């Protein structure tokens, strides 16, 4: 690789980006006072930034290309960790300990943030069934989340029923909506499915926004009951801690269930469907039914988190259920790795907690989500923690004289 | 009757804009079978660039139609440059990847560009300078058709005709059609496929910019979010007409424009966007090949 | 004995093009039949009609499981065809690239097993038993086709010849009575082709599965088939035993050009 020519290439890229970003980054017009602001400093930042990024970009691209040939056989680190109980057991114990004592070391503000992050873990894992396992790009996932949240909000508002009663109702109703939408659209090709689900998500939000008699419009519904704890009334602080533990409990259940699903007959069918639809059908798998199961299960999870969300914030309005929310959940799945439970967990923590704790980042939050999606697809489509491959135990057939092709004989 | 006429012309204006954006979707989809989610953002960037240039010029005392022309030219150049760059960054490295990858990358790009403009500029609506001259002969009909609307309809018609001729008769146009038919075969016949794909993005983005400038000067104000909804609606138009088909995109745009116009005019204006989404969902379910598209035979 | 597969005057049109034009084909139990003809003769289209990927424009396709009832399957759903007992491989192998060799075959067991979502949650004893049966059955098939050493390899990392055999194994996991092989020997070297030939022979003899295959390797076709159907431009131009086909002047002329003899 010629360093000089690489530098020259990057210089050209830098100049290109200076040109490209000039009107948007440098000029800002104040249309009220009719003043033009020239931000030349931005131009300098863009020039230096794009120069460096372009060097790094090409380096990573070439590395990725050479890697696919030579290092394909290498098992990912995550795989090695999960195969060695001596390594992963202490890690799990440490994490478990941290999780349990967390509310006692941190303020209720921090606990609240953590609870939110755990909600996204659950949403991410739910969407992971649909996108990661079954390969169905669902861009309207937030609609099912909204169904759950409004189910609790409305029933609680009108009839005063509590959290635990509505939780299964919200989940089932979301599943019902999932099937309702799934039936017609699941035979569509992948990219059409993406856009139809996006449209569906927007329809749900617009209905919530405009149908005032039903959903109280943009002002939303307030004073929703928090979850009760065996009939005891909790004060605010207690209920924050209670919700935190509740979320831990739900996350554990989710991980448990999804892990089992993944390694089941249905889970395999989902993965096969993602890999090759025609071959999958030719193996006798009912495409529509299998997709519908994935879709409905994903929706169920969103519905559950929706109920929890309404109970946590005690207030819902349509603004919480925009497309950007769907995109955020999607970028968690993409960053974590399609089908990877650990990956989704870590990704949710990174993407939700970083903007919360690094205030400087919070403005760039959505920018970050967008960039994550592009960069992960280009450089690491398998995600930060690739899905762990499972190996099966089988009965060894010892005597097999008729086998002509057994390479060992 | 007059109300009907007003809705009809309103739908025509709307539809023309959708058609201009839909052309970009349809061309890109025809060539690389990708829903270019970032296309709506390219349109928004076109509108923003035009607004910035036009504002700078008007603050310095220049006014009139020539400013609009100049701003449009700059917007077209910039949108084309953005379209070209987006393709190089987010789609080109993913040519061989599974279908889902470029789609996710495209969504990421769309969110990125939206927020890039939001952060670098503002989240507020900005007013677009009024640069379209009043036409005296239209004054009588001003309540049903203003000069801006006339401009939109005429521009769309001219642009579509030029594009059709371009694709039919120029060498690049023929290479585009060849690539859309069979990329590998086109490559074997000596077509530089990468260049053709770049050109497609450039042309599509330029058309979106024209749409952006027209809508900005018609509505009179824009913000960073206009690309999202317009993008989905234009995509609806492209699918409605039959994705991959250029006359289809125009027809789809007009049908969608009229649907929206009449639905909001006669039914309810609260659900303006719902009608478009509903139409999208219905077409994809019942006639995924669109009005002018042919259903493809699955190859095994 | 009734035929496993009977196709009567099958026609398949694409727009104005007749890809398959009024052909009759049948396959008897425990028989290896071959479908040959130049590229574009409509062979794969016939396969796609049988397996439900296309709905034929005209004609009838009947299948009859040994000891079962004759059934018309025009326009059947793809997965239903497999459930009935018709399994296939593809001209360009269509494995699940990021699944292991064993998992690929396990997918083939899907339509013969039952466990649902609830079973996956609960992992009750019947689900666990079924899962183990799936694994064992799949492993046995892999032993049968000679891929036992690569069970945990990702399908995409297999050499080409092994991928072809894995596709056959996967199809066999669905317990078909009729196996459709689309150019199984394509891209194989002579040694691999010989191995494949023995494998197909064994599938027929040990498992009592009938085979209908599309193949260009004349040595293999002539050596293994009980019956050969020759297609050209969508029309059936000949049918018969390998000997009959070898001497059929129409076949020699249309398919291989003048002055040519089929040697095997």
């Amino acid at each position: 690789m010629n360093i000089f020519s690489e530098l020259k290439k990057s210089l050209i890229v830098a100049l290109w980006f200076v040109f490209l970003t000039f009107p948007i980054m440098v000029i800002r017009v104040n249309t009220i006072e009719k003043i033009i602001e020239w931000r030349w400093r931005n131009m300098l930042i863009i020039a230096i930034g794009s120069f460096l990024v372009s060097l790094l970009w090409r380096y990573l691209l070439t590395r990725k290309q050479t890697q696919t040939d030579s290092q394909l056989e290498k098992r990912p680190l995550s795989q090695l960790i999960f195969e060695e109980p001596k390594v992963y057991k202490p890690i799990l114990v440490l994490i478990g300990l941290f999780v349990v004592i967390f509310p006692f070391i941190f303020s209720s503000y921090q606990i609240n943030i953590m609870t939110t992050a755990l909600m996204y873990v659950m949403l991410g894992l739910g969407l992971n069934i649909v996108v990661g396992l079954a390969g169905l790009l669902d861009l309207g996932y937030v609609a099912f989340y909204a169904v759950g949240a409004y189910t609790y909000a409305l029933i609680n508002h009108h009839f005063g029923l509590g959290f635990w009663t509505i939780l299964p109702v919200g989940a089932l109703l979301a599943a019902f909506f999932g099937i309702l939408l799934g039936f017609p659209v699941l035979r569509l090709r992948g990219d059409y499915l993406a856009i139809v689900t996006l449209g569906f998500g927007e329809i749900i939000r617009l209905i919530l926004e405009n149908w005032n008699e039903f959903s109280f419009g943009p002002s939303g519904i307030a004073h929703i009951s928090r979850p009760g704890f065996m009939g005891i009334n909790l004060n605010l602080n207690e209920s924050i801690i209670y919700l935190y533990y509740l979320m831990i409990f739900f996350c554990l259940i989710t991980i448990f269930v999804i892990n089992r699903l993944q390694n089941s007959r249905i889970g395999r069918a989902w993965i096969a469907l993602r890999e090759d639809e025609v071959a999958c059908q030719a193996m006798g798998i009912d495409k529509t039914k299998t997709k519908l199961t994935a879709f409905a299960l994903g929706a169920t999870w969103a519905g559950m988190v929706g109920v929890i969300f309404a109970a946590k914030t005690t207030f819902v309005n349509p603004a919480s259920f925009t497309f950007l929310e769907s995109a955020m959940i999607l970028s968690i799945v993409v960053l974590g790795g399609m089908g990877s439970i650990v990956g989704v967990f870590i990704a949710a923590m990174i993407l939700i907690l970083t903007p919360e704790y690094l205030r400087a980042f919070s403005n760039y939050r959505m920018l970050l989500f967008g960039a994550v999606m592009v960069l992960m697809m280009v450089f690491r489509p398998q995600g930060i923690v690739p899905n762990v491959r499972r190996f099966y135990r089988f009965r060894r057939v010892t005597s097999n004289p008729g086998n002509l092709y057994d390479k060992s004989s | 009757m007059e109300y009907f006429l007003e809705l009809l012309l309103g739908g025509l204006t709307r539809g023309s804009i959708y058609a201009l954006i839909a052309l970009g979707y349809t061309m890109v989809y025809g060539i690389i079978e990708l829903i270019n989610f970032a296309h709506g953002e390219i349109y928004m960037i076109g509108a923003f660039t035009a607004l910035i240039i036009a504002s700078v010029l008007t603050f310095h005392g220049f006014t009139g139609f020539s400013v609009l022309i100049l701003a449009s030219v700059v917007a077209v150049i910039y949108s084309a440059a953005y379209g070209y760059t987006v393709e190089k960054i987010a789609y080109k490295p993913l040519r061989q990847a599974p279908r889902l990858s470029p789609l996710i990358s495209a969504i990421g790009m769309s969110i990125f560009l939206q927020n890039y403009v939001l952060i670098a500029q503002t989240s507020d609506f900005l007013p677009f300078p009024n640069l379209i001259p009043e036409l005296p002969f239209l004054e009588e009909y001003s309540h049903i058709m203003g000069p801006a609307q006339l401009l939109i309809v005429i521009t769309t018609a001219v642009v579509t005709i030029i594009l059709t001729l371009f694709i039919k008769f120029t060498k690049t146009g023929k290479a585009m059609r060849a690539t859309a038919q069979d990329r590998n075969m086109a490559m074997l016949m000596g077509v530089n496929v990468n260049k053709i794909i770049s050109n497609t993005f450039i042309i599509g983005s330029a058309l979106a910019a024209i749409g952006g400038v027209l809508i900005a000067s018609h509505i009179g104000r824009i913000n960073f979010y206009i690309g999202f909804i317009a993008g989905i609606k234009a995509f609806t138009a492209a699918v409605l007409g039959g994705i991959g088909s250029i006359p289809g995109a125009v027809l789809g745009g007009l049908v969608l424009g009229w649907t929206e116009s009449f639905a909001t005019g006669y039914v309810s204006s609260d659900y303006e966007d719902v009608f478009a989404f509903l139409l999208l969902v219905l077409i994809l379910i019942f006639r995924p090949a669109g009005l002018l598209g042919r259903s493809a035979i699955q190859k095994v | 004995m009734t035929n496993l597969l009977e196709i009567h005057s099958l026609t398949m049109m694409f727009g104005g093009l007749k890809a398959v034009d009024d052909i009759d084909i049948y396959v008897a139990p425990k028989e290896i039949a071959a479908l040959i003809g130049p590229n574009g003769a409509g062979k794969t289209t016939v396969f796609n009609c049988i397996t439900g990927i296309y709905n034929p424009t005209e004609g009838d396709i009947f299948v009859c499981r040994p000891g079962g009832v004759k059934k018309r399957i025009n326009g059947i759903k793809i997965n239903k065809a497999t459930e009935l007992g018709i399994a296939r491989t593809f001209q360009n192998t269509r494995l699940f690239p990021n699944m292991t060799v064993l998992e690929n075959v396990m997918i083939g067991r899907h339509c013969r097993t039952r466990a649902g979502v609830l079973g996956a949650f609960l992992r009750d004893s019947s689900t666990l038993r079924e899962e183990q049966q799936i694994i064992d059955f799949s492993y046995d098939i892999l032993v049968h086709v000679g891929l036992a050493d690569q069970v945990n390899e990702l399908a995409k990392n297999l050499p080409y010849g092994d991928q072809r055999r894995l596709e056959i194994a996967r199809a066999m996991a669905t317990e078909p009575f009729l196996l459709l092989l689309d150019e199984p020997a394509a891209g194989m070297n002579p040694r691999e082709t010989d191995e494949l030939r023995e494998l197909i022979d064994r599938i027929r003899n040990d498992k009592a599965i009938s085979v209908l295959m599309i193949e260009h390797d004349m040595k293999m076709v002539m050596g293994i088939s009980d019956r050969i159907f020759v297609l050209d431009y969508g029309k059936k131009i000949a049918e018969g035993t390998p000997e009959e086909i070898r001497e059929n002047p129409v076949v020699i002329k249309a398919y291989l050009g003048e002055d040519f003899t089929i040697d095997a």
Side-chain angles (χ1 to χ4, degrees), chain B residues 63-134:
Chain B
T63 48
F65 196 59
S66 52
V67 170
L68 185 66
I69 298 285
L70 187 63
S72 309
V73 171
V74 177
V76 164
I77 292 171
Y78 267 97
S79 279
Y82 270 93
Y84 171 84
T85 313
V86 164
E87 195 270 327
K88 284 277 177 283
I89 291 176
Y91 309 143
K92 190 162 175 259
L94 298 172
R95 288 280 157 74
Q96 310 301 330
R99 274 182 82 107
L100 221 51
S101 303
L103 200 58
I104 292 174
S105 182
I107 295 163
M109 211 22 144
S110 160
I111 296 169
F112 182 87
L113 288 176
Q114 228 177 70
N115 286 276
Y116 153 72
V117 173
L118 166 69
I119 293 166
Q121 292 288 321
T122 169
S123 62
D124 301 331
F125 272 96
L126 293 180
F128 197 92
N130 187 9
L131 297 166
I132 300 174
E134 290 298 325

Side-chain angles (χ1 to χ4, degrees), chain C residues 174-209:
Chain C
T174 65
E175 292 181 76
F177 61 84
L178 176 66
L179 188 59
L180 308 181
L181 304 176
D182 199 342
E183 297 193 25
M188 285 187 168
N189 62 34
R191 197 182 62 84
E192 285 174 324
T193 309
D194 282 345
E195 286 178 356
L196 176 74
R197 194 174 129 180
E198 282 173 72
L199 174 64
I200 295 174
D201 217 31
R202 267 185 320 118
I203 289 174
R204 186 253 306 263
N205 295 334
D206 301 355
K207 310 247 171 193
I209 297 173

Side-chain angles (χ1 to χ4, degrees), chain C residues 7-19:
Chain C
I7 298 176
H8 298 304
S9 32
L10 177 76
T11 300
M12 183 72 214
M13 311 253 298
F14 295 118
L17 181 84
K18 266 188 185 168

